Amino acid sequence: MQQSDRGLRIGTFGPSGSGKSCFINTCERAMKLTHKGSCETQTSGAEGTILVQEYLDDIDGCKFCLVDTRGFFTYSVSEYLAMTNIVYGRILPGEKIDLNGAKKVDKDDSWDTFSNWLHAVIIVLSARDPNLLNGNHLTNLNTIRGFMKPRGIAPVCVVTHVDEVRDESQLEKIKTKASAATGSPESHVFFIENYHPEHNERDFNIELRAMEILNSALTVGERYVKIHKQQQQYEEEEKQEAAGQSKEEESIDSLFQRLCDTKHIPHAKVEPAITLLKEEDVTTTRLLRDNWADLEDELPISSRMKTYIKEAMLE
């Protein structure tokens, strides 16, 4: 498994009262087999977390941790800037989040802190949140989606308080709205009934769901680390070689245009695959070839088209 030296770091974001702290405690109880988590919860809707804090990092042999953040989603510019600092490892565990003093950072000037980056992101929303139900989060989270998507960050979405949804027929609508708001594919939107502080008995269904969510986030994170370490390696090689453009540097757009031209394929048929690859930050033929085994099954194209792609990558 390719990962940073410190292990995979999975960030958790969510509005105040979304159940984010309870979700972290649920994961702790599932992983540590305890009756209580260590993440402070708050029930008033006021924000309780003021620090970046890591959880599950104290388990022997555990190669990942959850990173808790203060309740974001006040949708301000200063909050957005602070989030970029957390994602790219400029704000570390134990440090207070200063929404007023943050300056925007990006991956190009943050390779030196790669082990401190967030390698996967979980966005926690509540099924009872009016902003989710009335569609406001689609607008509210537009900046967040706009930041994550072009940087290859594919968030996992967790929807809590589903036990309070009286009409189960509404669950599919809630999943669709959560997917649209966060930019998570519906296959990466999970419902969970969190453990609460007064819930002392173990519930294996809750714990299995928590483990399923963590597994999904780890899969996303491992791919993210692999792709970005390859990008860094390629950039270093290109600097050393200082050679002209080659097939190794061919962009994804150029690859598919070449494929369409030689096989007389309408470009509209390959656009969904191009979009998915760019969302994964796979932008060159070389990256696609090196990660083909992980990506092939997810491409929304026919098996014949996949054969054409493999042939084109080897030309």
Side-chain angles (χ1 to χ4, degrees):
M1 180 178 74
Q2 296 201 23
Q3 59 187 42
S4 69
D5 294 337
R6 301 177 65 250
L8 292 173
R9 303 181 77 237
I10 304 171
T12 57
F13 294 86
S16 297
S18 64
K20 173 170 60 69
S21 297
C22 281
F23 170 70
I24 292 173
N25 284 333
T26 297
C27 292
E28 276 200 315
R29 290 177 63 171
M31 291 284 293
K32 296 182 177 181
L33 304 180
T34 63
H35 294 289
K36 184 179 180 181
S38 61
C39 183
E40 292 186 9
T41 61
Q42 39 80 24
T43 58
S44 64
E47 178 50 43
T49 305
I50 60 172
L51 301 176
V52 175
Q53 186 66 49
E54 291 185 343
Y55 294 90
L56 303 179
D57 57 320
D58 57 345
I59 300 177
D60 290 340
C62 188
K63 299 299 184 181
F64 72 94
C65 66
L66 291 177
V67 182
D68 189 23
T69 63
R70 65 172 291 164
F72 271 64
F73 297 34
T74 58
Y75 323 114
S76 65
V77 174
S78 59
E79 176 187 271
Y80 166 77
L81 295 178
M83 187 189 72
T84 68
N85 280 262
I86 296 173
V87 169
Y88 289 117
R90 300 299 183 180
I91 300 177
L92 301 177
E95 295 182 353
K96 185 177 180 179
I97 300 174
D98 182 2
L99 292 183
N100 296 317
K103 296 181 179 179
K104 183 181 179 181
V105 297
D106 217 323
K107 67 179 183 180
D108 289 339
D109 53 14
S110 300
W111 285 115
D112 59 318
T113 61
F114 186 75
S115 63
N116 296 326
W117 287 19
L118 298 186
H119 308 113
V121 168
I122 295 175
I123 298 178
V124 183
L125 299 177
S126 171
R128 65 188 183 190
D129 185 345
N131 286 316
L132 174 62
L133 301 177
N134 62 24
N136 283 347
H137 273 328
L138 186 61
T139 301
N140 294 340
L141 306 187
N142 185 55
T143 301
I144 305 297
R145 293 194 306 274
F147 170 75
M148 292 187 177
K149 187 173 181 178
R151 291 165 177 81
I153 303 172
V156 172
C157 179
V158 173
V159 180
T160 64
H161 302 128
V162 292
D163 51 318
E164 299 180 25
V165 178
R166 304 305 178 191
D167 184 356
E168 291 191 4
S169 66
Q170 295 298 309
L171 292 178
E172 279 304 311
K173 293 181 180 179
I174 291 173
K175 175 181 281 192
T176 299
K177 290 181 177 181
S179 172
T182 61
S184 305
E186 290 196 17
S187 60
H188 286 177
V189 177
F190 297 90
F191 294 137
I192 192 170
E193 299 177 21
N194 282 327
Y195 278 134
H196 297 286
E198 65 276 7
H199 193 159
N200 294 319
E201 295 183 3
R202 293 188 65 189
D203 186 318
F204 292 105
N205 289 324
I206 290 177
E207 294 186 9
L208 284 172
R209 176 51 60 126
M211 299 296 280
E212 182 181 2
I213 293 168
L214 290 176
N215 183 66
S216 178
L218 285 169
T219 299
V220 170
E222 287 174 353
R223 181 183 298 168
Y224 181 85
V225 169
K226 179 180 179 182
I227 289 172
H228 281 75
K229 285 204 167 185
Q230 287 173 334
Q231 285 181 334
Q232 187 179 27
Q233 176 186 338
Y234 299 162
E235 288 174 7
E236 290 299 321
E237 290 175 356
E238 288 170 10
K239 289 179 182 178
Q240 293 174 5
E241 294 172 0
Q245 187 177 26
S246 66
K247 287 286 181 62
E248 299 287 29
E249 299 164 323
E250 181 182 44
S251 70
I252 286 297
D253 289 308
S254 297
L255 168 68
F256 278 91
Q257 188 60 57
R258 178 161 59 87
L259 182 63
C260 290
D261 291 342
T262 57
K263 299 296 184 181
H264 307 291
I265 300 169
H267 196 269
K269 287 192 174 183
V270 299
E271 285 179 354
I274 296 173
T275 298
L276 184 147
L277 291 171
K278 289 183 176 180
E279 288 176 357
E280 295 285 349
D281 217 13
V282 177
T283 56
T284 67
T285 299
R286 186 177 185 180
L287 274 172
L288 177 58
R289 188 181 63 240
D290 289 351
N291 293 279
W292 182 254
D294 295 328
L295 295 166
E296 180 178 7
D297 291 341
E298 296 189 20
L299 293 177
I301 51 178
S302 67
S303 57
R304 176 178 293 182
M305 191 79 73
K306 292 175 183 177
T307 299
Y308 290 157
I309 293 172
K310 285 189 285 187
E311 292 173 350
M313 288 191 296
L314 295 175
E315 290 179 0

